[in-house]
Amino acid sequence: GTVTGVQTCALPICLDKNFRRCSMNTKRLFQTLIVLICGLAVSGFAFAGSQTETTGADLKTMTISTDGDPATVDPTAEWLRDPQANMFVPLLEYDYVVGEIIPAGATSYDVSADGLTWTFNIRKNWNWSNGDPVTAHDYEYGFQRIVDPETVSPISWRIFNIVNAAAVNAGDMPLDELGVKAIDDYTLEITLTAPAAWFAVSLHSVGHALPIATVEEYGEDWVQPENIVVNGPYTMTEWELTDKMVLEKNPSYYNADSVDIEKINILYVSEGSTAMAMYENDELDTVDVPAEDLDRAKSDSVLSPEFYNGPAFVLYYYTFDANKPPFDNLLVRKAFAAAIDKATITEKITRGGQVPAGTMTPPGSFGHIPPSEGVGIPFDSNQAKKYLAEAGYPGGEGLAPISLGYNASEINANVAQAIQKMWLDSLGVEVELKGFDSGYNDAVSAGAFSVHRHGWGMDFPDAHNVLGEIFRSKAKHGDASFSVFLQIPEFDELIDSAAVETDPGKRYAMYLEAERILVEEYAASIPLYWYASNWVAKPYLDRAKVPSFNQSWYLWTLDK
């Protein structure tokens, strides 16, 4: 989803009658992921688990922090938060270590020869935390809830490739016309509008089962601790607004025996520096390291053995408003792209292990184009000057006023200031910086900036998620972003073809050409860097060194 800072995202939370817990906006903690997938796989799974009851006062407890109250734990309202990722089970999961789709709510699935009909065998002998069996009807209900116009789910576009989803969401068709059907208690059928090589892996972050009776009985209050019913590794036992949330192991989870940590205290700490201080005071067991503490964490005799730095599955990029001067001129766009020294930004400004990006799709996802392919516009100050002169603006003379917009944060401001100086030094162009504390997305949509900053954390590990859902000129399956300002028909055709192509080699070739068209031939946007994951954890906590988008606490272990 859209990322607005290095580690956090300011995003409007759905505040309708079904999802709302309180009338507020909230920041969400973005943990990142890096993965490797192949093309469409039609396979069966077997995954056995058992249940175990955990009682008593001496629960194995972990204490962590997040930067604010999540506002909702309904996975159909907001799927990118850690609490719901650890409380509700999607049809399929993804093993980030081996790079494979693995069973979750479904133990196996089959795909029809035409790639349109997907049949999932729902896990049997598995209950909700209230004792009711988990069935295909619960998954059908979860999908329906996403596109139900009454719930105004902000993620409805994620499943617009399912038959009738867009029409149902628009109120033009009833819910039961959605192409998701419970054939019986343990068989779910999903019908797509077109084959989708990326569909299976996308299901690890969308389409969770919901407890039908509980949601219908309590409405918006079904997510409160006294009412909530879950089918995942943890259930919520406390939720104190602006203070904390407490999760405890759910003995009804199908693989409860493998869950080591029995209780998780989640404290709301708005400032990264405060959370870091709490960690050093032994009040937290793990924490993301703020940028200002990175050097100390790497060198300190206590912190350095506890420090982890690894790649992150999030893109940081700038996009031009190509609808008006001066960036309606291709050569001007190329000039500004060539005048950015990305290595200096990552080495001198961000300094957290970020990787300069030549293309959009992050490393580790299917369709990532490595630097060895030579795609992109490299930093070349002399070439940048030539581009600008060829465009008719030697030394920047005669250019229309240029503004660079970004959502306000220290790191975004620092990056913008560095690029402002690079453009002045290489092109002789003065650029006005405009940082927004609130209303940034609306300002971008209104065309308030010549160039604007964005981030994108991958919802699933396939190039379709970023190229098809963000940069396609006219989104085919919903509009995931306000960031597309340039119509490129040949790019769209490639993306649409790659989405339905099942041969991995052919898909890769299509994405390579699509990236070349987007960032080089048309210079529509400038990929700047891919994020990094930087955290510390106490020696007794074995935290998976996998930068997944959501943190799977049920896979962590605690030895204390």
Side-chain angles (χ1 to χ4, degrees):
T2 303
V3 181
T4 60
V6 171
Q7 293 175 323
T8 62
C9 174
L11 195 70
I13 296 298
C14 183
L15 298 177
D16 64 280
K17 64 184 179 65
N18 291 308
F19 290 147
R20 185 179 60 195
R21 177 167 188 258
C22 56
S23 297
M24 62 176 292
N25 283 343
T26 186
K27 289 183 178 180
R28 65 182 182 186
L29 181 64
F30 260 55
Q31 300 297 344
T32 54
L33 61 92
I34 185 169
V35 293
L36 177 66
I37 71 168
C38 296
L40 179 64
V42 179
S43 58
F45 296 116
F47 193 82
S50 58
Q51 301 173 2
T52 182
E53 185 94 21
T54 302
T55 59
D58 297 326
L59 297 177
K60 187 179 286 189
T61 301
M62 173 176 71
T63 302
I64 59 177
S65 68
T66 187
D67 62 351
D69 189 275
T72 182
V73 294
D74 185 331
T76 61
E78 171 59 279
W79 76 103
L80 290 176
R81 282 192 170 274
D82 293 336
Q84 45 265 55
N86 285 270
M87 289 194 287
F88 298 94
V89 179
L91 286 168
L92 302 173
E93 287 283 7
Y94 197 84
D95 187 324
Y96 304 116
V97 175
V98 299
E100 293 181 355
I101 298 166
I102 58 175
T107 56
S108 65
Y109 68 93
D110 297 293
V111 184
S112 62
D114 62 7
L116 299 179
T117 303
W118 294 59
T119 304
F120 296 87
N121 299 308
I122 303 303
R123 184 180 300 277
K124 297 180 179 179
N125 303 315
W126 168 40
N127 294 332
W128 289 96
S129 55
N130 65 353
D132 292 342
V134 179
T135 71
H137 302 283
D138 301 319
Y139 281 97
E140 177 188 57
Y141 182 74
F143 277 97
Q144 288 181 347
R145 189 169 165 80
I146 293 174
V147 294
D148 186 346
E150 292 296 318
T151 60
V152 199
S153 171
I155 64 172
S156 58
W157 59 268
R158 286 278 320 270
I159 63 170
F160 277 5
N161 64 317
I162 294 176
V163 165
N164 296 333
V168 171
N169 187 242
D172 297 331
M173 282 187 172
L175 284 176
D176 59 11
E177 290 295 317
L178 178 67
V180 179
K181 306 293 183 184
I183 304 304
D184 56 42
D185 284 349
Y186 296 101
T187 307
L188 185 76
E189 183 180 276
I190 299 178
T191 307
L192 306 184
T193 58
W198 46 269
F199 184 61
V201 74
S202 76
L203 291 175
H204 83 93
S205 63
V206 70
H208 301 73
L210 290 184
I212 302 173
T214 301
V215 178
E216 295 296 332
E217 179 178 359
Y218 295 105
E220 67 180 74
D221 290 330
W222 83 270
V223 294
Q224 296 302 317
E226 63 271 20
N227 302 326
I228 195 166
V229 172
V230 303
N231 63 352
Y234 292 97
T235 189
M236 180 172 57
T237 57
E238 294 182 45
W239 190 1
E240 299 178 18
L241 185 64
T242 74
D243 186 14
K244 70 176 182 179
M245 180 182 290
V246 178
L247 305 184
E248 292 190 15
K249 181 176 175 177
N250 171 26
S252 295
Y253 174 54
Y254 66 82
N255 199 28
D257 283 350
S258 70
V259 179
D260 180 67
I261 300 174
E262 298 163 322
K263 182 177 181 180
I264 304 174
N265 296 318
I266 308 168
L267 309 182
Y268 304 154
V269 183
S270 60
E271 298 297 329
S273 57
T274 302
M276 188 68 187
M278 292 174 67
Y279 175 84
E280 294 185 73
N281 197 39
D282 295 330
E283 298 172 69
L284 297 174
D285 294 314
T286 185
V287 70
D288 289 332
V289 178
E292 61 269 22
D293 287 314
L294 282 172
D295 291 339
R296 184 170 64 88
K298 295 174 185 177
S299 60
D300 184 86
S301 60
V302 174
L303 294 175
S304 59
E306 302 169 358
F307 176 72
Y308 171 78
N309 167 261
F313 214 48
V314 183
L315 167 71
Y316 191 112
Y317 68 100
Y318 280 1
T319 286
F320 297 110
D321 185 346
N323 290 323
K324 55 190 177 184
F327 294 115
D328 57 346
N329 186 315
L330 171 60
L331 289 172
V332 174
R333 297 197 299 272
K334 285 189 172 183
F336 277 71
I340 296 179
D341 184 354
K342 300 171 186 177
T344 292
I345 292 173
T346 57
E347 293 169 8
K348 305 295 184 182
I349 306 300
T350 61
R351 298 182 300 106
Q354 294 81 4
V355 178
T359 53
M360 295 297 180
T361 307
S365 60
F366 183 86
H368 164 68
I369 309 303
S372 59
E373 296 282 10
V375 177
I377 297 178
F379 169 60
D380 188 329
S381 183
N382 291 329
Q383 182 61 59
K385 290 182 175 69
K386 292 178 182 178
Y387 282 141
L388 199 60
E390 289 175 23
Y393 305 105
E397 295 178 10
L399 274 179
I402 295 171
S403 60
L404 169 57
Y406 59 91
N407 44 297
S409 75
E410 182 178 0
I411 195 67
N412 289 344
N414 290 344
V415 169
Q417 289 164 13
I419 290 177
Q420 179 190 45
K421 186 175 188 304
M422 291 174 186
W423 285 340
L424 179 62
D425 292 345
S426 290
L427 304 175
V429 176
E430 293 188 2
V431 174
E432 180 186 7
L433 301 185
K434 295 183 177 181
F436 272 56
D437 287 317
S438 62
Y440 174 69
N441 292 357
D442 292 336
V444 170
S445 298
F449 316 112
S450 311
V451 190
H452 32 95
R453 179 266 167 198
H454 301 285
W456 184 254
M458 300 292 281
D459 300 314
F460 55 90
D462 191 285
H464 179 79
N465 182 234
V466 60
L467 298 181
E469 296 185 350
I470 299 302
F471 293 103
R472 192 185 185 284
S473 303
K474 294 180 180 178
K476 186 174 182 180
H477 299 308
D479 185 9
S481 176
F482 43 70
S483 63
V484 179
F485 280 79
L486 191 63
Q487 308 294 308
I488 311 176
E490 56 266 50
F491 173 85
D492 298 344
E493 292 173 7
L494 272 172
I495 293 304
D496 291 346
S497 296
V500 301
E501 177 58 59
T502 58
D503 182 286
K506 292 179 180 178
R507 286 192 79 217
Y508 175 83
M510 291 175 182
Y511 285 134
L512 187 154
E513 180 63 11
E515 291 269 20
R516 189 191 65 77
I517 290 172
L518 180 68
V519 303
E520 185 177 321
E521 182 178 337
Y522 279 84
S525 296
I526 308 173
L528 291 176
Y529 61 80
W530 294 298
Y531 284 42
S533 179
N534 295 284
W535 47 259
V536 285
K538 298 298 184 181
Y540 50 76
L541 174 62
D542 184 3
R543 173 175 173 172
K545 294 181 174 63
V546 179
S548 55
F549 209 78
N550 288 119
Q551 295 302 304
S552 300
W553 297 323
Y554 57 93
L555 298 178
W556 297 9
T557 60
L558 203 59
D559 184 19
K560 73 168 185 177

